[in-house]
Amino acid sequence: MENTPSTSHSDIPGVDALVNELIGRVADKWTLLVLEALEEHGESRFSQLARNVPGISQKMLTQTLRQMERDGFVHRTVHPVIPPHVDYRLTPLGHSLGEAFCGVWHWAEQHLDDVETARTAFDTRD
Amino acid sequence: MENTPSTSHSDIPGVDALVNELIGRVADKWTLLVLEALEEHGESRFSQLARNVPGISQKMLTQTLRQMERDGFVHRTVHPVIPPHVDYRLTPLGHSLGEAFCGVWHWAEQHLDDVETARTAFDTRD
DNA sequence: TCCATTTCTTACCTGCTGGTGACTACAGCA
DNA sequence: TGCTGTAGTCACCAGCAGGTAAGAAATGGA
């Protein structure tokens, strides 16, 4: 498996840095949780998301949603009524991101025990 | 692919939280970069890694490596000589993590332009 | 004798992330 | 008239992530 990594993501120098930056933005804790909530519950209102994402504050929810909207992951629909009504739903791009992270979720599930074991082994040795 | 997420990671309540915590640890910026450096260059010494991971400080490299060692991603070989000689290499578990993230790297490469486009569209509108 | 080498630790300090709580706008309803 | 519900914004503040710099430890070479 030592042949693939260098060819898969280093074709053009400079892309690496951009990809890194993108990963950094996308691998954000709150982004992942909001992404998951939207995958699970489908189109949601702001207050629904606040309830479905455990522990998120209003500020971070707003901020995360703005960022995801800017990156093209969520679509924001404002119904101009009083009181305000805003719906958020994943775009196809957002969905594809969710699927890409599916592999990592999968890995985490499968290897949760391995990591746990490694940790206790590390902690109890020496 | 819309059927898997809810069934794939919510079988047992509580696992979700653990998986979340694991993802949070693993999606760390420095962890990903060190992982990549080790995938690319194979077994490396401390100072080699410091050179291969752009912008990391000694402190963060030590800290990240300790964490990855504890989680069972890297194996640390100490050659008891003076001056010290320490080698780091990925364990099979570390490799599997690298492969899991491969999908995300891939996604990032493929959709880099889409995100870029979405951003400029977002910034230039209204 | 003294310095360079290599891997790490520790102390200190700064800047940013993110939480809290108050505030806005507007219409309907009691 | 004033309270309520929704989706925010803003100002303030604490805690922590992470950078810098110094030191330790032992040995071979000048």
Side-chain angles (χ1 to χ4, degrees):
Chain A
M1 249 5 117
E2 282 82 8
N3 44 353
T4 40
S6 48
T7 51
S8 69
H9 57 266
S10 289
D11 300 359
I12 305 160
V15 169
D16 238 26
L18 285 173
V19 169
N20 257 355
E21 188 257 1
L22 186 53
I23 297 268
R25 171 111 7 125
V26 142
D28 173 65
K29 175 190 175 185
W30 294 129
T31 302
L32 287 183
L33 292 177
V34 169
L35 189 69
E36 203 202 344
L38 282 173
E39 286 271 12
E40 238 175 275
H41 299 85
E43 193 169 41
S44 306
R45 307 184 53 170
F46 184 86
S47 48
Q48 268 180 297
L49 283 171
R51 256 174 277 120
N52 289 139
V53 178
I56 199 170
S57 67
Q58 252 197 0
K59 178 184 171 181
M60 285 319 293
L61 183 52
T62 305
Q63 198 170 300
T64 305
L65 284 171
R66 275 304 114 74
Q67 209 162 242
M68 292 177 75
E69 192 195 354
R70 190 173 106 98
D71 288 343
F73 303 149
V74 300
H75 183 78
R76 182 167 176 264
T77 313
V78 181
H79 304 272
V81 295
I82 298 291
H85 183 145
V86 181
D87 286 318
Y88 294 93
R89 73 158 183 282
L90 285 181
T91 63
L93 187 60
H95 265 298
S96 71
L97 176 62
E99 279 166 32
F101 267 108
C102 215
V104 182
W105 282 93
H106 224 73
W107 177 92
E109 285 178 349
Q110 287 188 319
H111 297 283
L112 198 57
D113 294 339
D114 296 342
V115 173
E116 202 87 22
T117 305
R119 281 187 190 167
T120 51
F122 183 92
D123 292 341
T124 58
R125 82 174 186 198
D126 106 83
Chain B
M1 248 1 114
E2 284 80 8
N3 44 354
T4 38
S6 48
T7 52
S8 70
H9 58 265
S10 291
D11 301 0
I12 304 158
V15 168
D16 238 26
L18 286 173
V19 169
N20 256 355
E21 187 257 2
L22 186 53
I23 296 269
R25 171 111 6 126
V26 142
D28 173 63
K29 176 189 175 186
W30 295 128
T31 303
L32 287 183
L33 291 178
V34 169
L35 189 69
E36 204 202 344
L38 283 173
E39 286 271 12
E40 238 176 273
H41 298 86
E43 191 169 42
S44 306
R45 306 184 54 171
F46 184 86
S47 48
Q48 267 180 299
L49 283 171
R51 256 174 276 121
N52 289 140
V53 177
I56 199 169
S57 66
Q58 253 196 1
K59 178 184 170 182
M60 286 318 292
L61 184 52
T62 306
Q63 200 171 298
T64 305
L65 284 171
R66 275 304 113 74
Q67 209 162 238
M68 292 177 76
E69 193 195 355
R70 190 173 105 98
D71 288 344
F73 303 149
V74 300
H75 183 78
R76 182 167 177 264
T77 312
V78 182
H79 304 272
V81 295
I82 298 291
H85 182 144
V86 182
D87 286 318
Y88 295 93
R89 72 159 184 279
L90 285 182
T91 63
L93 187 59
H95 265 298
S96 71
L97 176 62
E99 280 166 32
F101 267 108
C102 215
V104 182
W105 281 92
H106 222 73
W107 177 92
E109 284 179 349
Q110 287 188 319
H111 297 283
L112 197 57
D113 294 339
D114 296 342
V115 173
E116 202 88 19
T117 306
R119 282 186 191 169
T120 52
F122 183 92
D123 292 342
T124 59
R125 83 173 187 201
D126 106 85

